[in-house]
Amino acid sequence: MSIRTRFAPSPTGYLHIGGVRTALFNWLLRQRLGGQFILRIDDTDVERNQAEALQPILDGFRWLGIQWDEGPEVGGPYAPYFQSQRLATYKEAALKLLATGHAYPDYMTKEELDADKKKADAAKKPYVHRGPHRDTPADECVKLYEANPTTLRFKVPVGRKVVVEDLVRANCEQSTDLMGDPVILRANGIALYNFASVVDDAALKITHVVRASEHLANTYSQKLFLEALGLPIPKYAHIPVVNYKGEKMSKRKLPPLTEDERQKLRMLGWTDEEITTSGINIATVAFYKEMGYLPEAIINYLGRLGWSLDDKTEFLRLKDMISHFDMETGIGRVTKAPGEFDTKKLFWLQDEYMKLLSVEEKVTNCIPFLKRAKLISETPDEATLTLLSRIVTASGDRLKLFSDILQYGAPIFKAEPEYNAKSVEKRLKKPGAADLLREFAVVLAATESFDAATLDKAMHEFCAAKNVKLGDMVHPVRVATTGVEVGFGLFDTLEILGKQRVLERIEKALSL
RNA sequence: GGCCCUAUCGUCUAGUGGUCUAGGACACAGCCCUUUCAAGGCUGCGACACGGGUUCGAAUCCCGUUAGGGUCACCA
């Protein structure tokens, strides 16, 4: 069996995380069953589209490893894949419906429409639009339209039920008496999404339309279009929307970035203005890329949101998902209710995937972040890379996002530590702390081999001799050498810093 | 508001009439380990929305109620 699925984003300037999930299910089905996954750009609303708004979407998919068989930049046998370049096709289809009596010109003005709606509202009746020329014979409609082109509406047949067979939610039906005649062609001759979409699905020979359930209500009229056009009806699968705080996750109503996240973005070279105007947030793929998430973690999380393999599998790589994602165990097991987007669970998966990486892999992924933060040069030398490798090793499981390297690497890559005022107050200004630190510096200066094990032993002995708790030394030394209270193992830190820098920093800290 | 869809722990889910005193995971809480932060180990908390049927038996089937979501554009 060979299938053709598609994802049809609008060029909005960013790739939405919910859209990725929809695309993923389309893509998985195609990978499992064979065929093509098509990327089609729905840009019929010329006023809202900008040319550069597509690139982030393409970049996002590439980063996530979701490749398309046909579409922008790769082309394909049904090109072009931009709806703005296929306008003539839609108009032709609309005119065909006009000629066959399935559509009619509608000269009602917006004001008249609004008035009718208001009247229906007042009467507490549903507004179902039926234009004056609904029953005008087809040939007259054509003449009217040719003489005076205007909006074209589809003539919804009355007294019928439209049944949509859905792969996720079985049969869904709607009475045509509740469906107003939808506009299929604007007065300017450009088709509306709802109409263009089915014309294209047919033209691109799409066999399975997998999309978010917000499109279910559109499907009834779309099925009517296809019937009137004499085109085949694809299989539909309406997957539940992704919710956030109980509502469809959209660019609005999302939490602001945390101060920690903003700080990371600043270190990566973002200005506050860019952070605000870019609209980067947890609904955008760009956010996860900037924070240094692993594509695998995002894919795994999204795949398990609204779908499960069995009663215990949480961990699924792309290849595992593909092997299980057929009609029955794949799309057939997708849940029907909306799913809440859980950033905590995504983060947990991220951690799990991070643990699987070797030090070398982590280093490779951390380098771009350090370069952008100017903590290392564009062409780091061998010594820098070795140092980075030691930092990554010492950081271990603490490195959950690649951007975390900024936090762990800064105290070491920067010439001077940035002393946190609170930490200095708490750990260095404590009575007796300075004296102990001064004495311990002497011990350090005398230490022959400056490695973690030796330093560990030295500090333990020092504490025993002075009759103080280990913590009474660890904290001041950490703050003195790194400026902050949080970091990976202290003795690893000292070893990586080296004797000279450690002593210099302690001296500097004592002068604060 | 009309229409459509949906309804198992806070969240993601398993469950398709008896194997369910409902399983797993995240989150959360406590304890242990520990130089901070992580990680790890152990323990705990916690759900079949409600009401009627059908049935020997219902989380599972039917009906109603309630709640949530989606949609009602010359947006996509």
Side-chain angles (χ1 to χ4, degrees), chain A residues 323-471:
Chain A
S323 67
H324 293 292
F325 214 85
D326 56 25
M327 285 299 165
E328 202 173 326
T329 58
I331 207 75
R333 277 181 66 87
V334 171
T335 56
K336 301 179 182 74
E340 179 76 12
F341 189 77
D342 184 352
T343 51
K344 292 240 178 76
K345 188 152 185 181
L346 204 204
F347 190 74
W348 169 73
L349 273 168
Q350 163 67 16
D351 194 15
E352 294 300 305
Y353 278 98
M354 206 69 165
K355 286 176 189 166
L356 263 26
L357 260 41
S358 67
V359 170
E360 291 72 29
E361 287 169 314
K362 287 185 190 174
V363 165
T364 304
N365 279 289
C366 284
I367 288 173
F369 287 86
L370 292 167
K371 283 185 183 172
R372 286 175 59 191
K374 306 240 187 300
L375 286 172
I376 63 175
S377 77
E378 278 305 310
T379 50
D381 55 23
E382 208 48 43
T384 303
L385 294 177
T386 304
L387 188 58
L388 174 55
S389 181
R390 293 172 76 188
I391 294 170
V392 168
T393 303
S395 300
D397 293 339
R398 294 171 185 82
L399 205 63
K400 300 192 184 304
L401 302 173
F402 290 122
S403 60
D404 289 340
I405 195 63
L406 267 24
Q407 175 199 337
Y408 293 114
I412 291 162
F413 284 118
K414 285 193 177 175
E416 302 272 315
E418 280 175 23
Y419 289 101
N420 178 282
K422 265 192 184 163
S423 302
V424 168
E425 195 59 36
K426 186 173 166 194
R427 301 299 185 185
L428 296 181
K429 301 295 183 191
K430 199 174 151 186
D435 290 336
L436 280 169
L437 195 53
R438 204 166 279 120
E439 288 184 54
F440 187 61
V442 175
V443 175
L444 286 176
T447 304
E448 293 274 326
S449 125
F450 213 75
D451 62 88
T454 306
L455 296 166
D456 193 335
K457 189 160 165 272
M459 187 179 279
H460 273 86
E461 285 169 0
F462 179 82
C463 288
K466 294 287 166 189
N467 198 26
V468 295
K469 283 184 291 189
L470 192 66

Side-chain angles (χ1 to χ4, degrees), chain A residues 488-507:
Chain A
F488 47 82
L490 176 66
F491 304 113
D492 287 326
T493 306
L494 298 180
E495 182 188 315
I496 291 171
L497 240 21
K499 192 190 223 174
Q500 192 190 338
R501 293 178 80 196
V502 166
L503 292 176
E504 281 168 9
R505 287 184 179 195
I506 289 177
E507 197 174 327

Side-chain angles (χ1 to χ4, degrees), chain A residues 32 307 309 316 319-326 329-330:
Chain A
R32 175 67 181 76
W307 176 75
L309 179 60
L316 283 134
K319 63 174 167 54
D320 303 321
M321 283 191 213
I322 292 170
S323 67
H324 293 292
F325 214 85
D326 56 25
T329 58

Side-chain angles (χ1 to χ4, degrees), chain A residues 263-274:
Chain A
Q263 186 54 40
K264 280 179 170 174
L265 289 177
R266 282 188 211 107
M267 285 181 79
L268 291 171
W270 289 62
T271 63
D272 282 314
E273 202 200 333
E274 282 168 344

